[in-house]
PDB file of all heavy atoms in Angstrom:
ATOM      1  N   GLU A 115     140.810  26.419  60.755  1.00  0.00           N
ATOM      2  CA  GLU A 115     141.560  25.433  61.542  1.00  0.00           C
ATOM      3  C   GLU A 115     141.065  25.432  62.997  1.00  0.00           C
ATOM      4  O   GLU A 115     140.820  26.481  63.578  1.00  0.00           O
ATOM      5  CB  GLU A 115     143.059  25.763  61.508  1.00  0.00           C
ATOM      6  CG  GLU A 115     143.898  24.747  62.259  1.00  0.00           C
ATOM      7  CD  GLU A 115     145.390  25.066  62.240  1.00  0.00           C
ATOM      8  OE1 GLU A 115     145.815  26.025  61.583  1.00  0.00           O
ATOM      9  OE2 GLU A 115     146.119  24.315  62.911  1.00  0.00           O
ATOM     10  N   GLU A 131     143.409  28.318  48.968  1.00  0.00           N
ATOM     11  CA  GLU A 131     144.673  27.838  49.544  1.00  0.00           C
ATOM     12  C   GLU A 131     144.402  27.156  50.872  1.00  0.00           C
ATOM     13  O   GLU A 131     143.585  27.638  51.663  1.00  0.00           O
ATOM     14  CB  GLU A 131     145.640  29.008  49.756  1.00  0.00           C
ATOM     15  CG  GLU A 131     146.367  29.397  48.490  1.00  0.00           C
ATOM     16  CD  GLU A 131     147.322  30.559  48.677  1.00  0.00           C
ATOM     17  OE1 GLU A 131     147.438  31.110  49.793  1.00  0.00           O
ATOM     18  OE2 GLU A 131     147.960  30.940  47.678  1.00  0.00           O
ATOM     19  N   VAL A 132     145.133  26.080  51.097  1.00  0.00           N
ATOM     20  CA  VAL A 132     145.099  25.391  52.392  1.00  0.00           C
ATOM     21  C   VAL A 132     146.289  25.952  53.170  1.00  0.00           C
ATOM     22  O   VAL A 132     147.421  25.906  52.691  1.00  0.00           O
ATOM     23  CB  VAL A 132     145.265  23.864  52.220  1.00  0.00           C
ATOM     24  CG1 VAL A 132     145.224  23.172  53.579  1.00  0.00           C
ATOM     25  CG2 VAL A 132     144.197  23.303  51.297  1.00  0.00           C
ATOM     26  N   ARG A 133     146.007  26.554  54.328  1.00  0.00           N
ATOM     27  CA  ARG A 133     147.075  27.197  55.101  1.00  0.00           C
ATOM     28  C   ARG A 133     147.085  26.699  56.540  1.00  0.00           C
ATOM     29  O   ARG A 133     146.031  26.509  57.137  1.00  0.00           O
ATOM     30  CB  ARG A 133     146.870  28.713  55.150  1.00  0.00           C
ATOM     31  CG  ARG A 133     146.900  29.365  53.781  1.00  0.00           C
ATOM     32  CD  ARG A 133     146.633  30.857  53.930  1.00  0.00           C
ATOM     33  NE  ARG A 133     146.451  31.500  52.642  1.00  0.00           N
ATOM     34  CZ  ARG A 133     145.894  32.699  52.471  1.00  0.00           C
ATOM     35  NH1 ARG A 133     145.479  33.379  53.531  1.00  0.00           N
ATOM     36  NH2 ARG A 133     145.779  33.214  51.264  1.00  0.00           N
ATOM     37  N   LYS A 134     148.305  26.541  57.052  1.00  0.00           N
ATOM     38  CA  LYS A 134     148.446  26.153  58.462  1.00  0.00           C
ATOM     39  C   LYS A 134     149.525  27.042  59.050  1.00  0.00           C
ATOM     40  O   LYS A 134     150.620  27.125  58.467  1.00  0.00           O
ATOM     41  CB  LYS A 134     148.833  24.674  58.549  1.00  0.00           C
ATOM     42  CG  LYS A 134     148.587  24.086  59.915  1.00  0.00           C
ATOM     43  CD  LYS A 134     148.811  22.581  59.871  1.00  0.00           C
ATOM     44  CE  LYS A 134     148.807  21.973  61.244  1.00  0.00           C
ATOM     45  NZ  LYS A 134     147.463  21.814  61.793  1.00  0.00           N
ATOM     46  N   THR A 135     149.212  27.706  60.146  1.00  0.00           N
ATOM     47  CA  THR A 135     150.101  28.684  60.762  1.00  0.00           C
ATOM     48  C   THR A 135     150.796  29.567  59.707  1.00  0.00           C
ATOM     49  O   THR A 135     152.017  29.718  59.709  1.00  0.00           O
ATOM     50  CB  THR A 135     151.134  28.005  61.713  1.00  0.00           C
ATOM     51  OG1 THR A 135     151.808  26.953  61.006  1.00  0.00           O
ATOM     52  CG2 THR A 135     150.507  27.430  62.939  1.00  0.00           C
ATOM     53  N   GLY A 136     149.983  30.083  58.822  1.00  0.00           N
ATOM     54  CA  GLY A 136     150.474  31.041  57.825  1.00  0.00           C
ATOM     55  C   GLY A 136     151.166  30.429  56.621  1.00  0.00           C
ATOM     56  O   GLY A 136     151.383  31.100  55.616  1.00  0.00           O
ATOM     57  N   LYS A 137     151.501  29.151  56.686  1.00  0.00           N
ATOM     58  CA  LYS A 137     152.216  28.497  55.587  1.00  0.00           C
ATOM     59  C   LYS A 137     151.201  27.871  54.614  1.00  0.00           C
ATOM     60  O   LYS A 137     150.232  27.252  55.049  1.00  0.00           O
ATOM     61  CB  LYS A 137     153.120  27.415  56.179  1.00  0.00           C
ATOM     62  CG  LYS A 137     154.112  26.848  55.194  1.00  0.00           C
ATOM     63  CD  LYS A 137     154.990  25.797  55.877  1.00  0.00           C
ATOM     64  CE  LYS A 137     156.017  25.251  54.931  1.00  0.00           C
ATOM     65  NZ  LYS A 137     155.490  24.521  53.789  1.00  0.00           N
ATOM     66  N   VAL A 138     151.452  28.042  53.315  1.00  0.00           N
ATOM     67  CA  VAL A 138     150.549  27.456  52.317  1.00  0.00           C
ATOM     68  C   VAL A 138     150.906  25.988  52.109  1.00  0.00           C
ATOM     69  O   VAL A 138     152.012  25.655  51.682  1.00  0.00           O
ATOM     70  CB  VAL A 138     150.639  28.218  50.969  1.00  0.00           C
ATOM     71  CG1 VAL A 138     149.736  27.564  49.922  1.00  0.00           C
ATOM     72  CG2 VAL A 138     150.253  29.681  51.149  1.00  0.00           C
ATOM     73  N   LEU A 139     149.976  25.111  52.450  1.00  0.00           N
ATOM     74  CA  LEU A 139     150.218  23.662  52.289  1.00  0.00           C
ATOM     75  C   LEU A 139     149.853  23.198  50.886  1.00  0.00           C
ATOM     76  O   LEU A 139     150.462  22.283  50.343  1.00  0.00           O
ATOM     77  CB  LEU A 139     149.365  22.862  53.279  1.00  0.00           C
ATOM     78  CG  LEU A 139     149.638  23.039  54.769  1.00  0.00           C
ATOM     79  CD1 LEU A 139     148.730  22.110  55.562  1.00  0.00           C
ATOM     80  CD2 LEU A 139     151.092  22.749  55.083  1.00  0.00           C
ATOM     81  N   ALA A 140     148.825  23.823  50.313  1.00  0.00           N
ATOM     82  CA  ALA A 140     148.375  23.391  48.978  1.00  0.00           C
ATOM     83  C   ALA A 140     147.491  24.458  48.350  1.00  0.00           C
ATOM     84  O   ALA A 140     146.877  25.264  49.061  1.00  0.00           O
ATOM     85  CB  ALA A 140     147.585  22.087  49.097  1.00  0.00           C
ATOM     86  N   SER A 160     141.901  20.553  60.275  1.00  0.00           N
ATOM     87  CA  SER A 160     143.363  20.454  60.361  1.00  0.00           C
ATOM     88  C   SER A 160     144.080  21.699  59.841  1.00  0.00           C
ATOM     89  O   SER A 160     145.268  21.887  60.090  1.00  0.00           O
ATOM     90  CB  SER A 160     143.825  19.249  59.539  1.00  0.00           C
ATOM     91  OG  SER A 160     143.453  19.435  58.177  1.00  0.00           O
ATOM     92  N   ALA A 161     143.388  22.534  59.097  1.00  0.00           N
ATOM     93  CA  ALA A 161     144.026  23.704  58.485  1.00  0.00           C
ATOM     94  C   ALA A 161     142.935  24.712  58.113  1.00  0.00           C
ATOM     95  O   ALA A 161     141.738  24.392  58.178  1.00  0.00           O
ATOM     96  CB  ALA A 161     144.774  23.261  57.217  1.00  0.00           C
ATOM     97  N   ASP A 162     143.380  25.920  57.745  1.00  0.00           N
ATOM     98  CA  ASP A 162     142.443  26.903  57.193  1.00  0.00           C
ATOM     99  C   ASP A 162     142.336  26.654  55.699  1.00  0.00           C
ATOM    100  O   ASP A 162     143.331  26.256  55.071  1.00  0.00           O
ATOM    101  CB  ASP A 162     142.987  28.337  57.351  1.00  0.00           C
ATOM    102  CG  ASP A 162     143.099  28.766  58.802  1.00  0.00           C
ATOM    103  OD1 ASP A 162     142.154  28.502  59.568  1.00  0.00           O
ATOM    104  OD2 ASP A 162     144.131  29.370  59.150  1.00  0.00           O
ATOM    105  N   VAL A 163     141.191  26.918  55.132  1.00  0.00           N
ATOM    106  CA  VAL A 163     141.065  26.954  53.667  1.00  0.00           C
ATOM    107  C   VAL A 163     140.486  28.325  53.335  1.00  0.00           C
ATOM    108  O   VAL A 163     139.433  28.719  53.871  1.00  0.00           O
ATOM    109  CB  VAL A 163     140.173  25.819  53.119  1.00  0.00           C
ATOM    110  CG1 VAL A 163     140.135  25.880  51.589  1.00  0.00           C
ATOM    111  CG2 VAL A 163     140.690  24.448  53.567  1.00  0.00           C
ATOM    112  N   VAL A 164     141.226  29.065  52.502  1.00  0.00           N
ATOM    113  CA  VAL A 164     140.875  30.461  52.212  1.00  0.00           C
ATOM    114  C   VAL A 164     140.719  30.641  50.705  1.00  0.00           C
ATOM    115  O   VAL A 164     141.572  30.188  49.924  1.00  0.00           O
ATOM    116  CB  VAL A 164     142.004  31.391  52.741  1.00  0.00           C
ATOM    117  CG1 VAL A 164     141.667  32.853  52.482  1.00  0.00           C
ATOM    118  CG2 VAL A 164     142.254  31.161  54.227  1.00  0.00           C
ATOM    119  N   THR A 209     157.588  20.168  56.645  1.00  0.00           N
ATOM    120  CA  THR A 209     157.605  21.460  57.318  1.00  0.00           C
ATOM    121  C   THR A 209     158.682  21.542  58.400  1.00  0.00           C
ATOM    122  O   THR A 209     158.985  22.582  58.914  1.00  0.00           O
ATOM    123  CB  THR A 209     156.234  21.753  57.965  1.00  0.00           C
ATOM    124  OG1 THR A 209     155.880  20.622  58.752  1.00  0.00           O
ATOM    125  CG2 THR A 209     155.179  22.012  56.914  1.00  0.00           C
TER     126      THR A 209
END
Side-chain angles (χ1 to χ4, degrees):
E115 182 180 355
E131 279 180 359
V132 180
R133 299 178 189 163
K134 198 172 170 77
T135 52
K137 191 179 182 296
V138 178
L139 296 182
S160 61
D162 294 316
V163 182
V164 181
T209 51

